[in-house]
mmCIF file of all heavy atoms in Angstrom:
data_model
loop_
_atom_site.group_PDB
_atom_site.id
_atom_site.type_symbol
_atom_site.label_atom_id
_atom_site.label_comp_id
_atom_site.label_asym_id
_atom_site.label_seq_id
_atom_site.Cartn_x
_atom_site.Cartn_y
_atom_site.Cartn_z
ATOM 1 N N ASP A 1 -12.207 5.318 -8.391
ATOM 2 C CA ASP A 1 -10.946 5.414 -9.211
ATOM 3 C C ASP A 1 -10.991 6.660 -10.214
ATOM 4 O O ASP A 1 -10.011 7.351 -10.305
ATOM 5 C CB ASP A 1 -10.748 4.181 -10.107
ATOM 6 C CG ASP A 1 -10.305 3.077 -9.243
ATOM 7 O OD1 ASP A 1 -9.756 3.219 -8.062
ATOM 8 O OD2 ASP A 1 -10.296 1.821 -9.760
ATOM 9 N N ARG A 2 -12.191 6.742 -10.750
ATOM 10 C CA ARG A 2 -12.318 8.053 -11.615
ATOM 11 C C ARG A 2 -12.195 9.264 -10.923
ATOM 12 O O ARG A 2 -11.662 10.296 -11.483
ATOM 13 C CB ARG A 2 -13.672 7.824 -12.392
ATOM 14 C CG ARG A 2 -13.670 6.808 -13.458
ATOM 15 C CD ARG A 2 -14.971 6.916 -14.319
ATOM 16 N NE ARG A 2 -16.188 6.294 -13.564
ATOM 17 C CZ ARG A 2 -16.460 5.053 -13.603
ATOM 18 N NH1 ARG A 2 -15.807 4.175 -14.319
ATOM 19 N NH2 ARG A 2 -17.535 4.676 -12.979
ATOM 20 N N VAL A 3 -12.646 9.309 -9.719
ATOM 21 C CA VAL A 3 -12.467 10.547 -8.861
ATOM 22 C C VAL A 3 -11.064 10.872 -8.650
ATOM 23 O O VAL A 3 -10.652 11.895 -8.767
ATOM 24 C CB VAL A 3 -13.281 10.378 -7.633
ATOM 25 C CG1 VAL A 3 -12.991 11.620 -6.709
ATOM 26 C CG2 VAL A 3 -14.742 10.287 -7.879
ATOM 27 N N GLN A 4 -10.324 9.863 -8.279
ATOM 28 C CA GLN A 4 -8.870 9.952 -8.018
ATOM 29 C C GLN A 4 -8.194 10.412 -9.273
ATOM 30 O O GLN A 4 -7.234 11.188 -9.191
ATOM 31 C CB GLN A 4 -8.330 8.706 -7.407
ATOM 32 C CG GLN A 4 -8.926 8.184 -6.111
ATOM 33 C CD GLN A 4 -8.281 7.040 -5.455
ATOM 34 O OE1 GLN A 4 -7.088 7.228 -4.964
ATOM 35 N NE2 GLN A 4 -8.901 5.943 -5.524
ATOM 36 N N VAL A 5 -8.542 9.819 -10.346
ATOM 37 C CA VAL A 5 -7.957 10.163 -11.649
ATOM 38 C C VAL A 5 -8.173 11.590 -11.960
ATOM 39 O O VAL A 5 -7.256 12.312 -12.391
ATOM 40 C CB VAL A 5 -8.265 9.268 -12.733
ATOM 41 C CG1 VAL A 5 -7.866 9.677 -14.162
ATOM 42 C CG2 VAL A 5 -7.816 7.788 -12.625
ATOM 43 N N ARG A 6 -9.385 11.942 -11.824
ATOM 44 C CA ARG A 6 -9.773 13.421 -12.125
ATOM 45 C C ARG A 6 -9.040 14.535 -11.240
ATOM 46 O O ARG A 6 -8.600 15.517 -11.773
ATOM 47 C CB ARG A 6 -11.345 13.640 -11.916
ATOM 48 C CG ARG A 6 -11.862 14.920 -12.374
ATOM 49 C CD ARG A 6 -13.271 15.044 -12.502
ATOM 50 N NE ARG A 6 -14.014 15.030 -11.187
ATOM 51 C CZ ARG A 6 -14.679 13.974 -10.760
ATOM 52 N NH1 ARG A 6 -14.908 12.940 -11.490
ATOM 53 N NH2 ARG A 6 -15.260 14.109 -9.529
ATOM 54 N N PHE A 7 -8.921 14.206 -10.060
ATOM 55 C CA PHE A 7 -8.251 15.083 -9.058
ATOM 56 C C PHE A 7 -6.742 14.826 -8.922
ATOM 57 O O PHE A 7 -6.103 15.685 -8.420
ATOM 58 C CB PHE A 7 -8.958 14.997 -7.611
ATOM 59 C CG PHE A 7 -10.302 15.494 -7.607
ATOM 60 C CD1 PHE A 7 -11.316 14.901 -6.948
ATOM 61 C CD2 PHE A 7 -10.630 16.654 -8.266
ATOM 62 C CE1 PHE A 7 -12.610 15.329 -6.966
ATOM 63 C CE2 PHE A 7 -12.092 17.143 -8.306
ATOM 64 C CZ PHE A 7 -12.980 16.452 -7.535
ATOM 65 N N GLY A 8 -6.319 13.685 -9.380
ATOM 66 C CA GLY A 8 -4.777 13.347 -9.268
ATOM 67 C C GLY A 8 -4.452 13.158 -7.830
ATOM 68 O O GLY A 8 -3.271 13.401 -7.547
ATOM 69 N N GLU A 9 -5.357 12.770 -6.896
ATOM 70 C CA GLU A 9 -5.056 12.404 -5.565
ATOM 71 C C GLU A 9 -5.873 11.437 -4.969
ATOM 72 O O GLU A 9 -6.980 11.046 -5.516
ATOM 73 C CB GLU A 9 -5.238 13.667 -4.734
ATOM 74 C CG GLU A 9 -6.697 14.213 -4.715
ATOM 75 C CD GLU A 9 -6.879 15.402 -3.645
ATOM 76 O OE1 GLU A 9 -6.025 16.330 -3.671
ATOM 77 O OE2 GLU A 9 -7.938 15.496 -3.024
ATOM 78 N N GLY A 10 -5.453 10.771 -3.910
ATOM 79 C CA GLY A 10 -6.225 9.633 -3.270
ATOM 80 C C GLY A 10 -5.361 8.576 -2.822
ATOM 81 O O GLY A 10 -4.166 8.536 -3.245
ATOM 82 N N PRO A 11 -5.939 7.693 -2.020
ATOM 83 C CA PRO A 11 -4.977 6.511 -1.517
ATOM 84 C C PRO A 11 -4.433 5.592 -2.668
ATOM 85 O O PRO A 11 -3.306 5.080 -2.465
ATOM 86 C CB PRO A 11 -6.008 5.801 -0.549
ATOM 87 C CG PRO A 11 -7.375 6.122 -1.051
ATOM 88 C CD PRO A 11 -7.204 7.586 -1.596
ATOM 89 N N CYS A 12 -5.221 5.405 -3.704
ATOM 90 C CA CYS A 12 -4.869 4.495 -4.687
ATOM 91 C C CYS A 12 -3.590 5.123 -5.454
ATOM 92 O O CYS A 12 -2.666 4.562 -5.664
ATOM 93 C CB CYS A 12 -5.874 4.187 -5.638
ATOM 94 S SG CYS A 12 -5.436 3.190 -7.142
ATOM 95 N N VAL A 13 -3.748 6.396 -5.791
ATOM 96 C CA VAL A 13 -2.674 7.133 -6.429
ATOM 97 C C VAL A 13 -1.478 7.211 -5.661
ATOM 98 O O VAL A 13 -0.293 6.922 -6.208
ATOM 99 C CB VAL A 13 -3.197 8.521 -6.876
ATOM 100 C CG1 VAL A 13 -1.989 9.313 -7.419
ATOM 101 C CG2 VAL A 13 -4.329 8.524 -7.885
ATOM 102 N N ASP A 14 -1.598 7.478 -4.362
ATOM 103 C CA ASP A 14 -0.489 7.505 -3.503
ATOM 104 C C ASP A 14 0.187 6.090 -3.376
ATOM 105 O O ASP A 14 1.422 5.977 -3.473
ATOM 106 C CB ASP A 14 -0.852 7.779 -2.054
ATOM 107 C CG ASP A 14 -1.073 9.362 -1.901
ATOM 108 O OD1 ASP A 14 -1.045 10.120 -2.997
ATOM 109 O OD2 ASP A 14 -1.454 9.870 -0.884
ATOM 110 N N ALA A 15 -0.505 5.104 -3.245
ATOM 111 C CA ALA A 15 0.065 3.659 -3.112
ATOM 112 C C ALA A 15 0.740 3.333 -4.400
ATOM 113 O O ALA A 15 1.764 2.655 -4.418
ATOM 114 C CB ALA A 15 -1.094 2.730 -2.820
ATOM 115 N N ALA A 16 0.126 3.593 -5.562
ATOM 116 C CA ALA A 16 0.643 3.177 -6.877
ATOM 117 C C ALA A 16 1.948 3.970 -7.238
ATOM 118 O O ALA A 16 2.876 3.336 -7.792
ATOM 119 C CB ALA A 16 -0.425 3.362 -7.984
ATOM 120 N N VAL A 17 2.034 5.213 -6.829
ATOM 121 C CA VAL A 17 3.122 6.010 -7.227
ATOM 122 C C VAL A 17 4.211 6.139 -6.141
ATOM 123 O O VAL A 17 5.491 6.025 -6.410
ATOM 124 C CB VAL A 17 2.653 7.458 -7.552
ATOM 125 C CG1 VAL A 17 3.767 8.289 -7.941
ATOM 126 C CG2 VAL A 17 1.626 7.311 -8.785
ATOM 127 N N ASP A 18 3.876 6.284 -4.875
ATOM 128 C CA ASP A 18 4.841 6.574 -3.918
ATOM 129 C C ASP A 18 5.098 5.605 -2.745
ATOM 130 O O ASP A 18 6.223 5.543 -2.258
ATOM 131 C CB ASP A 18 4.349 7.910 -3.178
ATOM 132 C CG ASP A 18 4.244 9.177 -4.048
ATOM 133 O OD1 ASP A 18 5.180 9.223 -5.037
ATOM 134 O OD2 ASP A 18 3.336 9.949 -4.008
ATOM 135 N N GLY A 19 4.104 4.777 -2.458
ATOM 136 C CA GLY A 19 4.339 3.895 -1.278
ATOM 137 C C GLY A 19 3.797 2.494 -1.546
ATOM 138 O O GLY A 19 3.065 2.280 -2.479
ATOM 139 N N PHE A 20 4.039 1.636 -0.553
ATOM 140 C CA PHE A 20 3.480 0.324 -0.754
ATOM 141 C C PHE A 20 2.032 0.183 -0.203
ATOM 142 O O PHE A 20 1.174 -0.381 -0.900
ATOM 143 C CB PHE A 20 4.409 -0.702 -0.028
ATOM 144 C CG PHE A 20 3.984 -2.174 -0.169
ATOM 145 C CD1 PHE A 20 3.754 -2.719 -1.482
ATOM 146 C CD2 PHE A 20 3.633 -2.954 0.839
ATOM 147 C CE1 PHE A 20 3.364 -3.974 -1.696
ATOM 148 C CE2 PHE A 20 3.206 -4.247 0.622
ATOM 149 C CZ PHE A 20 2.970 -4.751 -0.586
ATOM 150 N N VAL A 21 1.841 0.629 1.007
ATOM 151 C CA VAL A 21 0.438 0.694 1.591
ATOM 152 C C VAL A 21 0.059 1.919 1.987
ATOM 153 O O VAL A 21 0.778 2.763 2.663
ATOM 154 C CB VAL A 21 0.444 -0.357 2.754
ATOM 155 C CG1 VAL A 21 -1.001 -0.390 3.397
ATOM 156 C CG2 VAL A 21 0.899 -1.775 2.461
ATOM 157 N N THR A 22 -1.140 2.360 1.425
ATOM 158 C CA THR A 22 -1.762 3.650 1.983
ATOM 159 C C THR A 22 -3.140 3.320 2.560
ATOM 160 O O THR A 22 -3.923 2.691 1.955
ATOM 161 C CB THR A 22 -2.036 4.588 0.720
ATOM 162 O OG1 THR A 22 -0.698 4.974 0.167
ATOM 163 C CG2 THR A 22 -2.596 5.944 1.128
ATOM 164 N N ARG A 23 -3.277 3.773 3.788
ATOM 165 C CA ARG A 23 -4.379 3.385 4.573
ATOM 166 C C ARG A 23 -5.062 4.637 5.294
ATOM 167 O O ARG A 23 -4.366 5.465 5.769
ATOM 168 C CB ARG A 23 -3.994 2.308 5.648
ATOM 169 C CG ARG A 23 -5.034 1.952 6.633
ATOM 170 C CD ARG A 23 -4.418 0.752 7.410
ATOM 171 N NE ARG A 23 -4.983 0.664 8.704
ATOM 172 C CZ ARG A 23 -4.485 -0.117 9.733
ATOM 173 N NH1 ARG A 23 -3.291 -0.753 9.518
ATOM 174 N NH2 ARG A 23 -5.023 -0.188 10.802
ATOM 175 N N SER A 24 -6.364 4.646 5.315
ATOM 176 C CA SER A 24 -7.017 5.670 5.943
ATOM 177 C C SER A 24 -8.176 4.984 6.803
ATOM 178 O O SER A 24 -9.041 4.341 6.293
ATOM 179 C CB SER A 24 -7.770 6.675 4.969
ATOM 180 O OG SER A 24 -8.372 7.746 5.868
ATOM 181 N N ASP A 25 -8.038 5.053 8.218
ATOM 182 C CA ASP A 25 -9.034 4.374 9.063
ATOM 183 C C ASP A 25 -10.297 5.037 9.121
ATOM 184 O O ASP A 25 -11.320 4.490 9.402
ATOM 185 C CB ASP A 25 -8.435 4.190 10.310
ATOM 186 C CG ASP A 25 -7.193 3.200 10.338
ATOM 187 O OD1 ASP A 25 -7.250 2.287 9.631
ATOM 188 O OD2 ASP A 25 -6.246 3.371 11.130
ATOM 189 N N ASP A 26 -10.272 6.395 8.919
ATOM 190 C CA ASP A 26 -11.575 7.171 9.182
ATOM 191 C C ASP A 26 -11.511 8.520 8.308
ATOM 192 O O ASP A 26 -10.797 9.397 8.537
ATOM 193 C CB ASP A 26 -11.659 7.617 10.657
ATOM 194 C CG ASP A 26 -12.972 8.284 10.894
ATOM 195 O OD1 ASP A 26 -13.750 8.459 9.922
ATOM 196 O OD2 ASP A 26 -13.293 8.646 12.131
ATOM 197 N N LEU A 27 -12.223 8.341 7.080
ATOM 198 C CA LEU A 27 -12.248 9.379 6.166
ATOM 199 C C LEU A 27 -12.833 10.693 6.671
ATOM 200 O O LEU A 27 -12.570 11.787 6.049
ATOM 201 C CB LEU A 27 -12.834 8.969 4.849
ATOM 202 C CG LEU A 27 -12.064 7.958 4.027
ATOM 203 C CD1 LEU A 27 -12.867 7.489 2.789
ATOM 204 C CD2 LEU A 27 -10.746 8.577 3.470
#
């Protein structure tokens, strides 16, 4: 979470702000 907050990007940020479900099957 701290990494996503620092960079302002990631699945959690995308889900919370833009969409309902954000999923990555293979990073």
